[in-house]
Amino acid sequence: MSRRVAILISGRGSNMTALIEAAKAKDFPAEIVVVISNKADAPGLAKARESRIPTLVIESKPFGKDRAGFETALQAALDDNRVDLICLGGFMRLFTAEFVQRWHGRMLNIHPSLLPSFPGLDPHGQALRAGVKISGATVHFVIPQTDAGPIVMQGAVAVRDEDTPDTLAERVLAIEHRIYPDALRLVASGETRLEGDVCKTTANAGLDDTLISPASRSK
């Protein structure tokens, strides 16, 4: 049975677009049933409508610091659309622990770093300042702690000496668009399970399961 998915956005929705495109495949185990934004001017809303995905706006600004009040309105919309899974796509609103627990194991987020490294703001700047040679993106289940949930999938890119936060972000974004649909496929098809703080999967690792950077010239 296809799982019913809501995507929550606040901005342009580039990961939303990747998820919508993936869900068009006949064998994809999830259906995007609604896109919800907490900002009426989010550019991603127009993109969703172009793909004939129903959209809703639940403005968060009028609620101010009343996160529970906003979440009551959001939960009502999720219930109305019989949503099974939530995918956050650049959703710039913090949730209460109570809302997160209600959706435990059913809410996904993507972060542009190889968690648990570089959570929070400016992950690309953090990566460059740390001098890492590999960075990437992580799809994880949402828990009350920020960027700390069980990891579903990760993708990596080499960091170049000449990289800036913007150039690194561009390459990592391409990875995000690849792994988010694949991670949703795993979760929606039942190929993942949570064992405490760890997500296990029946899927196999890629055939090329190594990434070394910088590349060595020795044989």
Side-chain angles (χ1 to χ4, degrees):
M1 182 180 294
S2 181
R3 306 298 298 278
R4 295 175 63 84
V5 177
I7 303 176
L8 274 53
I9 66 170
S10 296
R12 61 181 178 170
S14 68
N15 275 304
M16 173 205 73
T17 301
L19 292 169
I20 289 173
E21 289 302 310
K24 291 179 180 179
K26 292 183 178 180
D27 64 344
F28 199 81
E31 175 188 4
I32 312 302
V33 297
V34 66
V35 170
I36 302 175
S37 175
N38 67 321
K39 295 184 177 181
D41 59 353
L45 290 169
K47 295 179 182 179
R49 294 180 190 122
E50 289 172 3
S51 296
R52 298 184 178 180
I53 304 295
T55 62
L56 287 173
V57 175
I58 305 174
E59 287 272 14
S60 56
K61 190 174 182 179
F63 289 92
K65 296 182 179 180
D66 182 12
R67 287 192 286 165
F70 171 78
E71 290 166 2
T72 297
L74 175 60
Q75 184 62 51
L78 297 171
D79 290 341
D80 287 345
N81 285 277
R82 295 178 286 114
V83 169
D84 300 309
L85 300 169
I86 296 173
C87 288
L88 304 181
F91 187 69
M92 305 303 291
R93 177 84 179 183
L94 294 176
F95 292 117
T96 64
E98 289 77 13
F99 184 85
V100 172
Q101 291 296 340
R102 173 180 288 186
W103 287 91
H104 179 72
R106 297 187 295 147
M107 181 158 53
L108 293 171
N109 188 34
I110 190 162
H111 182 74
S113 77
L114 295 176
L115 293 174
S117 296
F118 317 129
L121 299 176
D122 191 26
H124 305 301
Q126 291 185 62
L128 293 176
R129 288 190 292 272
V132 298
K133 304 306 179 186
I134 295 171
S135 190
T138 302
V139 180
H140 63 94
F141 285 108
V142 177
I143 64 172
Q145 293 75 26
T146 302
D147 299 330
I151 293 169
V152 179
M153 185 176 288
Q154 293 181 303
V157 298
V159 178
R160 301 167 182 166
D161 286 346
E162 66 273 17
D163 265 328
T164 66
D166 287 343
T167 60
L168 180 57
E170 184 177 359
R171 294 203 308 286
V172 170
L173 186 61
I175 290 291
E176 292 180 48
H177 294 169
R178 290 176 58 185
I179 68 172
Y180 211 170
D182 286 345
L184 176 58
R185 180 188 290 273
L186 285 177
V187 173
S189 63
E191 294 184 71
T192 59
R193 67 185 186 279
L194 289 175
E195 295 184 2
D197 295 331
V198 177
C199 177
K200 299 291 184 70
T201 177
T202 59
N204 295 321
L207 295 177
D208 182 9
D209 58 0
T210 61
L211 174 58
I212 298 173
S213 177
S216 173
R217 295 183 180 180
S218 61
K219 295 183 179 181

